Amino acid sequence: MSQIKIFALGGLGENGKNMYCVDVDNQIFILDAGIKYPTSELFGVDEIVPDYKMLLEHLPKVKGFFMTHAHEDHIGALPHILRDINVPVYATNFTMELIKDNLKEEGFDLEKMKLHVIDQNSIIKFNNVKVNFFTTTHSIPESVGVAINTQDGSIIYTSDYTFDQSADPRYQTDFRKINELSEKKVLCLLTESLGSGLVLNGSINKALDYDLNEAISNAKGRVVASLFSSDLLKIQRVIDIALKHKKRIAIIGRRAQRIVDIAIEMNYLSIPKESLISLRYIDEKNKNDDSDIVALVTGNRHEPFYMLQRMCKKADRLIHIDDKDTVIVVASPIPGTEKMAAKTLDILYRTDAKIHVIDKKLLTASHATSDEIKMMMNMLKPEYIMPVIGEYRMQYAVMKLAKDMGYSQEQVFLMDNGDGLFFNDGVPTLHKSKFRSGDILIDGSAVGDVNDIVIHDRELLSEDGVLLIIANINPRSKRILGEIEIVTKGFVYVKESEQLLKDVKEVFIKATDKHLKGKYINWNELKTSVREDVNKFLYKETRRSPITIPIIIATEV
């Protein structure tokens, strides 16, 4: 019998940052390693990765990363984590190509990496554990679920999936493999939760096709469509409809072009060469405004919205949106981009172009709905269920679905990141906050140097600005030399606040005099005292708290 521990370092109670660990008899299998994009209050943060540091203490036990598909919320953290945990990575061919692309961009030497391509027939053995895979339907090719087979039964991780049978055959779910897994004991099912509140509607894809077809067929001029670059199924849908209306396709977006190139090379995107065009920079002769052009504006997170704004403001080099254009917004905002998406729509409507915003309900078809989650449970018949991939309310909805199917509350585990679900000889116990978990904030290329204090300072800077007090002090004569200089940024308008700044100088002089009367000058205490006194004065006068930085220079004359 086995000792099994299941815990999440990310992905529970949140949207993104998916990273789940299964420890079987001191062998740790890591399922996905994704990023989460920051909300607007995380100033200057580019992305968030799971706090993986606890794994460094157990490095010899880590057997590898098992990646389910190529979306950023499942593979995006790999370049950050592999610098510290260089263990084998297992992924399907298409997913691996995008992982390699990410690693190369981050300067990795791929020759030194342990990258293994798997498919749905792969079986990988680790002592008394076997890992195998089953294909699933998602919005990106070669998505798989993972089964970790132990002596006490299988731990099955579905990742993101649907049972959409209208999808391209190469995207479809392998029901035969799922049935094979169900014939043996399934100890615990880790099923996605994101779509648990949605009701199955078989006409979603038809409605999406109808909306896209209507917008493109009625367009009198150029069509501009915004999409996320990783949503290859929807990109193909737009392309297919455009080709029916004898349109030419242009794809815009740096990262999008790389994903699209890989997808075309691997036959996951089908665009006839004669229909794919490259736009040249706009000049006096070239406006890129032919009526048969369908321009796909693609990227990650905020990029499609940002590029549309540039096109509306005539700042883009390739397209200037005007009243003859039809704009189709196929990218619904993800967490952290809601304000930018709303602002983009506002700017779009000012152009007098024809705007078609695809209903968000038609864009969520790539996640398992309530009926599909029930169907997965029904097929696999797990003894226990652990909802993953989603906010707590979504996990709770999965628990309700499980109860509807006859599961008891004791068989469904609603967990937070860092909680541990332990199976000892097949018997589960839940341990709250057992493992270290949290966020690592990525600022540019720096990992782990941004913490709550830095974010708080950035928040203050954005709201109340900064005030610098620069003074020269002679340490021998213990006198202030010359003028005290005050520099403010984002705090007050200097010309209208001359009296306030004069008063700040007086506060500085009084605070400094206390320290200059002593036998020795403690420079750190002097700066702290100045900062506190000035902050108290400014808050009393202005009800604002800028970041105050005293710059005191020891100057001997």
Side-chain angles (χ1 to χ4, degrees), residues 13-18 35-42 45-48 73 194 228 300-303 305 331-342 360 364 367 389-391 393-394:
E14 60 187 346
N15 192 344
K17 207 170 68 116
N18 296 289
I35 61 170
K36 180 171 72 172
Y37 288 114
T39 49
S40 56
E41 65 267 15
L42 290 175
V45 174
D46 296 318
E47 54 196 44
I48 305 167
D73 57 337
L194 279 175
F228 291 122
N300 288 338
R301 196 190 169 215
H302 64 278
E303 289 170 348
F305 307 115
S332 61
I334 61 173
T337 64
E338 296 89 348
K339 287 183 180 178
M340 177 174 270
K360 192 176 180 180
T364 55
H367 291 284
I389 310 175
E391 297 166 12
R393 60 190 168 83
M394 300 165 180

Side-chain angles (χ1 to χ4, degrees), residues 11 82 267 336:
L82 286 176
N267 294 319

Side-chain angles (χ1 to χ4, degrees), residues 238-386:
V238 174
I239 289 168
D240 290 345
I241 292 168
L243 292 174
K244 282 181 186 175
H245 295 285
K246 296 182 169 51
K247 304 283 189 180
R248 293 181 296 155
I249 311 296
I251 298 173
I252 300 170
R254 184 182 65 87
R255 176 161 178 76
Q257 199 59 57
R258 284 157 42 204
I259 292 178
V260 166
D261 287 346
I262 292 169
I264 290 174
E265 189 178 324
M266 299 178 72
N267 294 319
Y268 279 113
L269 266 187
S270 177
I271 313 175
K273 283 186 179 178
E274 64 274 13
S275 299
L276 186 61
I277 61 170
S278 294
L279 300 181
R280 293 183 291 113
Y281 288 160
I282 292 173
D283 56 30
E284 291 180 3
K285 295 181 180 177
N286 173 52
K287 303 297 180 188
N288 292 329
D289 58 356
D290 296 347
S291 61
D292 65 340
I293 290 177
V294 173
L296 306 185
V297 180
T298 62
N300 288 338
R301 196 190 169 215
H302 64 278
E303 289 170 348
F305 307 115
Y306 176 69
M307 285 193 282
L308 283 180
Q309 288 188 23
R310 284 178 55 83
M311 291 173 181
C312 292
K313 295 173 181 176
K314 309 290 191 282
D316 190 73
R317 291 181 172 186
L318 298 174
I319 288 181
H320 293 168
I321 291 173
D322 58 34
D323 58 354
K324 297 172 189 171
D325 292 325
T326 296
V327 180
I328 312 173
V329 181
V330 194
S332 61
I334 61 173
T337 64
E338 296 89 348
K339 287 183 180 178
M340 177 174 270
K343 183 180 178 183
T344 302
L345 286 179
D346 209 48
I347 293 171
L348 278 170
Y349 281 110
R350 288 179 182 274
T351 64
D352 292 328
K354 291 180 181 175
I355 313 299
H356 292 262
V357 181
I358 302 297
D359 191 328
K360 192 176 180 180
K361 291 179 182 176
L362 302 182
L363 302 176
T364 55
S366 55
H367 291 284
T369 61
S370 56
D371 287 341
E372 288 169 329
I373 291 171
K374 283 183 179 180
M375 187 175 170
M376 183 66 86
M377 293 177 189
N378 228 350
M379 287 191 295
L380 289 171
K381 297 180 175 56
E383 288 194 10
Y384 301 97
I385 295 166
M386 175 182 163

Side-chain angles (χ1 to χ4, degrees), residues 42 439 441 449-459:
L42 290 175
D439 296 340
L441 308 180
D449 66 339
V450 184
N451 57 26
D452 291 342
I453 296 169
V454 175
I455 295 299
H456 177 66
D457 284 349
R458 289 180 181 178
E459 187 175 1

